[in-house]
Amino acid sequence: SLTEKLEATFKKLRGLGTLTEDNIKEALKEIRRALLEADVNYKVTKDFIQDVQAEAVGAETIRSVEPGQLIVKIVHEKMIKLLGEKTAEIQISERPPSIIMICGLQGSGKTTLTAKLGLLYKKKKQKVLLVAADPYRPAAVKQLQTLGKQIDVEVFEMGQSDPVTICKGAISKARKEFVDLIIFDTAGRLHIDEELMNELSDIKKMANPREILLVADAMTGQDAVNVAREFHEKLNVTGVVLSKMDGDARGGAALSIRGVTGCPLKLVGIGEKLTDLEPFHPDRMASRILG
Amino acid sequence: VGMAAKVDDNLLDEIEEILIQGDVGVSASMKIIENLKKKVAHDNIKDAEQVITELKTEISLIIQSDRDPGQLNEVGPTVWLIMGVNGTGKTTSVGKLAKYFSDSGKKTMVAACDTFRAAAVEQLSIWAERSGVEFIKAKDGTDPASVAFDAVSAAKARGIDILLVDTAGRLHTKSHLMEELGKIKRVISKVVPVENIKPKLVLDGTTGQNALSQVKIFTDAVEGCDGLIVTKLDGTAKGGVVIAIAEEMSVPIDFIGLGEQIDDLKPFDPQSYVDALFE
Ligand SMILES: Nc1nc2c(ncn2[C@@H]2O[C@H](COP(=O)(O)OP(=O)(O)OP(=O)(O)O)[C@@H](O)[C@H]2O)c(=O)[nH]1
Ligand SMILES: Nc1nc2c(ncn2[C@@H]2O[C@H](COP(=O)(O)OP(=O)(O)OP(=O)(O)O)[C@@H](O)[C@H]2O)c(=O)[nH]1
Ligand SMILES: [Mg+2]
Ligand SMILES: [Mg+2]
């Protein structure tokens, strides 16, 4: 782990007065390497290391804290701060129906999250409508319908119609039936696919969702920044959900995404079951990234 | 790439940045750069363009594999066991491969051994229709190994050349699911010789360093991964972790996925891959 590696680096400098640029160089190299191996983006890492250096150089090592511990403390605190300090909640509109739109790359976990949220809010006594707005992927509608049945939450579908029409149809049904929460499941798409990205902004313009959640796979590498930046620029994403955190990926994409978009991380997927959903905890994520 | 003109540390830093941002990873990048430095010193290379050419050559040699990805066993059926973590593109790749093999005149069958994920069987049946190949399925919840057994037996009986077995996505950290894969392979080996069974790992091209542990653990679970299929290289991700994988383990890359249509699958070509990495 990073702390062990840093301890080894700092053994050489026991009993030091102040941290200088020279004597922390080795430690900063270790930290940089740990972040890059955790898939934190190259540039985000560079900026992070510069911040740590600026704070560490000249810091007095007080009697009770070894230099290695001081650096770890600075790194940990800075990371938690960058990840957002505290848990961010999903926002629901005062006047129903509130709308959540789910988007992201192919295979990231959108349809599964749609059903997980359906269950979460059903348990909070909300009347929920899930919307199958992915007319492209084979059996995508059937997948959401199957999941909806498992949790006894209604799924609105219009087969292979265009997504804006489907979402519009869902809103008018929701108004008639006093639905509290509508969740749009959309098709996976590449952030460079202009036509499909425009489709999402068309849905946004028509429906004005209260939340636009970007689902990102925790295993994503350096490309996370390109994806998040494009989705955010196009849609003004309100929150990010990191899926598949039940694996052993360190999840550096979280730091990258938050670093380049400022969007709050709100939830994490921790499994395939529809109850496998947790709030995002910045401190736990920081420890996971640092290994 | 708009790189530095001189052969100096600046150029090497830029190369490191490209490799790291391409998901090659720290240790594989450092190895590549160390070898490059030796080459530059040994051959006294002064021209930056030439350094890049050497670099590309070095990487191509790492990821090279001279076998034909579509090679089947003399006596059929050859069985491709398609596995991987969740959402990498396994079912879609099975659909694309079915068309690829049937277009090349091979009698092809697909088996729906993902009996767990919602609508997984329906999804594969649509792909089987699109590619016009035989399709074996069972009710949701059926033991995947028994579906595989039935499929291989049918494939043998019908003189099938290639059977593509779709399996459920599973994280390599879930040991009971990894054991299930081993069981599927063992059951198949009761019907066809083990050398006919080709486990293929589907990796998502946007995955970072985690792909290394995926390859290691899936390879252990089925006692030898025959090849990789790397999907979603039609985005901006470079999939450079395959270079780190090639450095550490000798698992060749067979095919790459370049989109969601049935023809968006190509045999892996190292040269064009390396060119794309440095674009
Ligand atoms: N282990 C694990 N698997 C997950 C998680 N979330 C989703 N999955 C799985 O990931 C795969 C893809 O999930 P989907 O919900 O179909 O993903 P999607 O984003 O809707 O995919 P497309 O619609 O094809 O773009 C499925 O096998 C899910 O069961 C999670 O938190 N952990
Ligand atoms: N852009 C792009 N999308 C792809 C590619 N291959 C697959 N996909 C998409 O990725 C998503 C997931 O594909 P699936 O084939 O369902 O993945 P899977 O591995 O079978 O998923 P699970 O069975 O849930 O683990 C779908 O939306 C596919 O259309 C590719 O090469 N490029
Ligand atoms: Mg989906
Ligand atoms: Mg599948």
Side-chain angles (χ1 to χ4, degrees):
Chain A
S1 85
L2 185 66
T3 312
E4 284 157 22
K5 275 200 194 124
L6 280 185
E7 275 315 305
T9 313
F10 268 96
K11 260 208 181 56
K12 310 188 201 84
L13 297 165
R14 282 271 181 260
L16 206 71
T18 48
L19 296 178
T20 64
E21 203 162 320
D22 258 349
N23 62 35
I24 66 169
K25 207 187 217 125
E26 197 53 36
L28 290 178
K29 249 172 110 188
E30 283 300 345
I31 296 166
R32 176 177 179 273
R33 185 176 178 133
L35 294 181
L36 292 173
E37 282 175 356
D39 293 325
V40 177
N41 180 264
Y42 188 87
K43 293 212 178 74
V44 171
T45 297
K46 205 175 194 171
D47 295 346
F48 185 84
I49 295 296
Q50 276 166 2
D51 281 358
V52 169
Q53 181 171 359
E55 189 161 327
V57 171
E60 291 298 314
T61 52
I62 31 190
R63 197 106 343 266
S64 59
V65 181
E66 292 288 352
Q69 288 307 326
L70 184 61
I71 290 266
V72 174
K73 192 164 164 290
I74 291 173
V75 167
H76 221 264
E77 280 168 3
K78 213 166 252 314
M79 192 172 282
I80 290 172
K81 200 151 152 249
L82 191 51
L83 285 169
E85 312 241 44
K86 53 182 187 334
T87 301
E89 307 280 343
I90 298 276
Q91 302 302 318
I92 301 288
S93 312
E94 281 73 58
R95 276 183 346 91
S98 192
I99 298 173
I100 298 176
M101 178 164 97
I102 309 286
C103 61
L105 293 183
Q106 292 90 345
S108 55
K110 297 175 296 297
T111 304
T112 308
L113 175 69
T114 300
K116 285 178 178 177
L117 287 170
L119 180 61
L120 183 71
Y121 284 97
K122 178 185 164 167
K123 284 184 179 164
K124 294 183 180 182
K125 306 277 179 266
Q126 304 265 313
K127 187 172 160 65
V128 183
L129 182 65
L130 305 182
V131 180
D134 175 359
Y136 309 115
R137 214 200 72 173
V141 173
K142 182 101 173 87
Q143 181 187 0
L144 190 60
Q145 286 174 316
T146 308
L147 294 176
K149 265 202 211 82
Q150 287 173 13
I151 55 174
D152 194 17
V153 170
E154 187 173 1
V155 172
F156 178 83
E157 57 94 14
M158 286 172 66
Q160 314 298 309
S161 313
D162 86 281
V164 179
T165 311
I166 297 170
C167 293
K168 205 183 243 163
I171 294 172
S172 64
K173 174 185 168 74
R175 292 224 169 93
K176 282 189 217 121
E177 300 181 2
F178 307 108
V179 164
D180 299 313
L181 177 64
I182 304 173
I183 307 173
F184 296 151
D185 179 32
T186 66
R189 66 203 65 212
L190 293 175
H191 52 296
I192 54 172
D193 184 329
E194 226 172 289
E195 202 183 311
L196 283 185
M197 290 303 281
N198 286 339
E199 179 188 279
L200 286 179
S201 29
D202 291 346
I203 297 173
K204 178 182 177 182
K205 265 191 224 110
M206 179 276 297
N208 190 20
R210 181 71 178 86
E211 285 272 6
I212 299 177
L213 300 180
L214 172 64
V215 184
D217 186 324
M219 297 176 268
T220 311
Q222 297 286 315
D223 199 44
V225 289
N226 303 321
V227 176
R229 192 186 288 120
E230 285 304 315
F231 273 92
H232 189 49
E233 264 173 31
K234 196 85 189 170
L235 300 168
N236 218 350
V237 167
T238 60
V240 176
V241 178
L242 220 55
S243 66
K244 308 174 200 175
M245 283 279 285
D246 44 317
D248 58 357
R250 301 254 299 275
L255 197 66
S256 306
I257 293 172
R258 174 75 187 184
V260 293
T261 63
C263 294
L265 291 131
K266 296 198 170 183
L267 295 165
V268 288
I270 52 165
E272 296 190 72
K273 289 204 234 51
L274 299 185
T275 47
D276 289 333
L277 189 65
E278 276 185 356
F280 175 79
H281 297 290
D283 50 347
R284 286 190 216 160
M285 193 73 219
S287 310
R288 178 170 175 146
I289 291 173
L290 290 170
Chain B
V1 218
M3 290 183 117
K6 292 208 324 287
V7 182
D8 56 8
D9 279 351
N10 217 12
L11 177 66
L12 293 176
D13 283 350
E14 280 183 61
I15 289 172
E16 184 199 55
E17 181 169 348
I18 289 172
L19 294 176
I20 301 270
Q21 285 196 311
D23 282 318
V24 174
V26 175
S27 48
S29 299
M30 282 162 72
K31 253 192 218 138
I32 289 168
I33 289 175
E34 282 314 311
N35 287 344
L36 188 66
K37 266 188 198 160
K38 282 189 203 127
K39 185 101 180 124
V40 167
H42 181 266
D43 297 355
N44 198 18
I45 301 175
K46 293 264 180 273
D47 170 25
E49 287 296 323
Q50 209 187 328
V51 172
I52 301 300
T53 311
E54 288 300 336
L55 175 64
K56 285 185 174 180
T57 310
E58 186 189 344
I59 293 175
S60 298
L61 288 174
I62 296 171
I63 56 179
Q64 197 72 349
S65 132
D66 44 11
R67 69 175 197 186
D68 163 15
Q71 183 72 29
L72 302 185
N73 292 74
E74 285 294 306
V75 181
T78 301
V79 182
W80 281 28
L81 182 59
I82 306 293
M83 54 188 192
V85 300
N86 304 81
T88 52
K90 295 176 294 297
T91 305
T92 308
S93 297
V94 166
K96 294 173 180 175
L97 287 165
K99 178 153 190 309
Y100 178 87
F101 282 113
S102 67
D103 282 358
S104 52
K106 304 279 188 283
K107 238 184 136 187
T108 309
M109 179 188 275
V110 296
C113 294
D114 177 357
T115 56
F116 170 74
R117 218 212 52 195
V121 174
E122 289 79 357
Q123 181 188 2
L124 188 58
S125 76
I126 293 170
W127 281 110
E129 249 168 66
R130 288 180 182 173
S131 49
V133 299
E134 295 196 49
F135 179 60
I136 299 264
K137 64 175 180 168
K139 285 201 312 300
D140 282 0
T142 313
D143 173 20
S146 78
V147 182
F149 184 85
D150 293 347
V152 182
S153 310
K156 208 173 164 191
R158 298 180 205 174
I160 294 291
D161 298 317
I162 172 135
L163 170 67
L164 301 160
V165 177
D166 187 29
T167 65
R170 66 201 67 216
L171 290 185
H172 52 292
T173 49
K174 305 262 192 278
S175 52
H176 62 296
L177 293 179
M178 299 312 284
E179 274 153 30
E180 179 186 88
L181 262 186
K183 185 181 155 204
I184 293 173
K185 187 186 173 199
R186 277 194 304 283
V187 159
I188 294 173
S189 70
K190 294 195 179 122
V191 183
V192 293
V194 166
E195 56 274 12
N196 279 45
I197 308 171
K198 311 281 185 209
K200 304 284 185 185
L201 179 61
V202 180
L203 291 177
D204 181 327
T206 61
T207 306
Q209 298 310 299
N210 192 250
L212 284 156
S213 51
Q214 289 177 31
V215 178
K216 281 180 196 141
I217 296 174
F218 273 92
T219 298
D220 284 349
V222 290
E223 294 162 2
C225 178
D226 186 67
L228 302 176
I229 297 168
V230 185
T231 60
K232 309 178 194 177
L233 289 180
D234 45 319
T236 48
K238 302 286 190 192
V241 69
V242 296
I243 298 167
I245 290 166
E247 273 262 335
E248 286 192 33
M249 304 167 255
S250 55
V251 184
I253 305 163
D254 290 326
F255 289 95
I256 57 170
L258 293 164
E260 300 189 78
Q261 303 310 318
I262 201 161
D263 292 315
D264 293 331
L265 183 85
K266 300 273 177 279
F268 180 66
D269 166 24
Q271 199 47 53
S272 52
Y273 174 81
V274 174
D275 289 341
L277 184 64
F278 289 99
E279 242 155 39

